[in-house]
Amino acid sequence: MRRVLLTGFEPFGFIDGNSSWEAVKLAAEHPIEGAVIETVLLPVTFSGAPLSMEAAIEAFDPEVVVAVGQAGGRAAVAVERVAVNLVDASMPDNDGRQPIGDVLVADGPGAYFTGLPLRSCVEAARAAGVPAAESMTAGTYVCNTVFYRLMHLVATRRPGLRGGFVHVPLMPGQSLDGAYPTLSSELAAKAIAAIVRTALDGDPH
Ligand code: PCA
């Protein structure tokens, strides 16, 4: 069986729950022929999140990793193109740490591109009936940290691993005043499953 790892995040900031974890849990229930899916919940901390992700990769030895995060304000599932070697936190993480303008990996390149076949992933999510788009930035908070450290791991130690990052909108109930767009966890999960199938099938880009 081919192995796929999905990661999602715990809640952070002022919003209850985290749509990424709800979507990841549901995505893992989608049947993907010939593949077994493992999920791991990451803390929203600059120190803990990349370590938990790396430990899960060591333990599970997946062929594909799709890391998923919540992005308040987005209306579509966003397949991220680029991870930057920067952390610039607009609010404290769940450890109370707020690094400003720090480099993530001292000797690492300024940026990495996703290892996912970006356009095919977006098309596959749309074909499954879910609004999806390419995104040029995963921000400079914990999600970008996980994305960059994932791509750094691929570049330095795991050349066979295909990985990338996907942001999902808030889910209904997380924006009861209607200030932000929402997407149901079922639809977000459908998009993630479509992205996993595409990553298992396709060539990069
Ligand atoms: N979203 C945050 C961190 C955790 C999450 O789900 C981000 O976009 O950085």
Side-chain angles (χ1 to χ4, degrees):
M1 289 293 254
R2 302 172 77 184
R3 287 189 295 281
V4 175
L5 176 68
L6 299 177
T7 73
F9 283 102
E10 67 182 6
F12 68 105
F14 299 106
I15 299 177
D16 286 339
N18 190 311
S19 57
S20 68
W21 182 235
E22 300 309 316
V24 158
K25 281 190 293 183
L26 290 177
E29 291 171 12
H30 281 245
I32 294 180
E33 214 184 297
V36 55
I37 301 182
E38 184 81 2
T39 62
V40 63
L41 177 65
L42 304 181
V44 182
T45 64
F46 290 105
S47 58
L51 291 182
S52 297
M53 175 199 61
E54 285 166 5
I57 291 171
E58 285 305 313
F60 189 57
D61 191 25
E63 172 182 344
V64 166
V65 178
V66 179
V68 184
Q70 164 185 299
R74 301 247 180 130
V77 170
V79 187
E80 299 294 348
R81 185 185 286 275
V82 57
V84 293
N85 191 3
L86 173 69
V87 50
D88 202 59
S90 56
M91 62 178 167
D93 71 5
N94 286 355
D95 281 338
R97 286 188 57 224
Q98 190 172 6
I100 308 283
D102 291 359
V103 160
L104 276 171
V105 177
D107 57 353
Y112 285 113
F113 289 118
T114 186
L116 297 175
L118 192 74
R119 273 180 222 125
S120 315
C121 284
V122 170
E123 279 161 20
R126 288 176 180 170
V130 188
E134 293 179 21
S135 167
M136 298 303 147
T137 175
T140 54
Y141 194 55
V142 177
C143 288
N144 174 73
T145 297
V146 164
F147 186 18
Y148 186 90
R149 289 277 294 265
L150 171 61
M151 300 323 298
H152 190 64
L153 185 74
V154 171
T156 55
R157 290 195 278 137
R158 287 197 169 253
L161 179 65
R162 180 170 288 188
F165 199 97
V166 174
H167 266 118
V168 294
L170 298 183
M171 56 191 167
Q174 286 184 303
S175 180
L176 288 174
D177 62 0
Y180 290 116
T182 61
L183 183 73
S184 76
S185 299
E186 288 74 17
L187 282 178
K190 238 179 155 180
I192 293 165
I195 289 166
V196 167
R197 286 194 190 94
T198 307
L200 285 167
D201 285 351
D203 295 322
H205 310 293

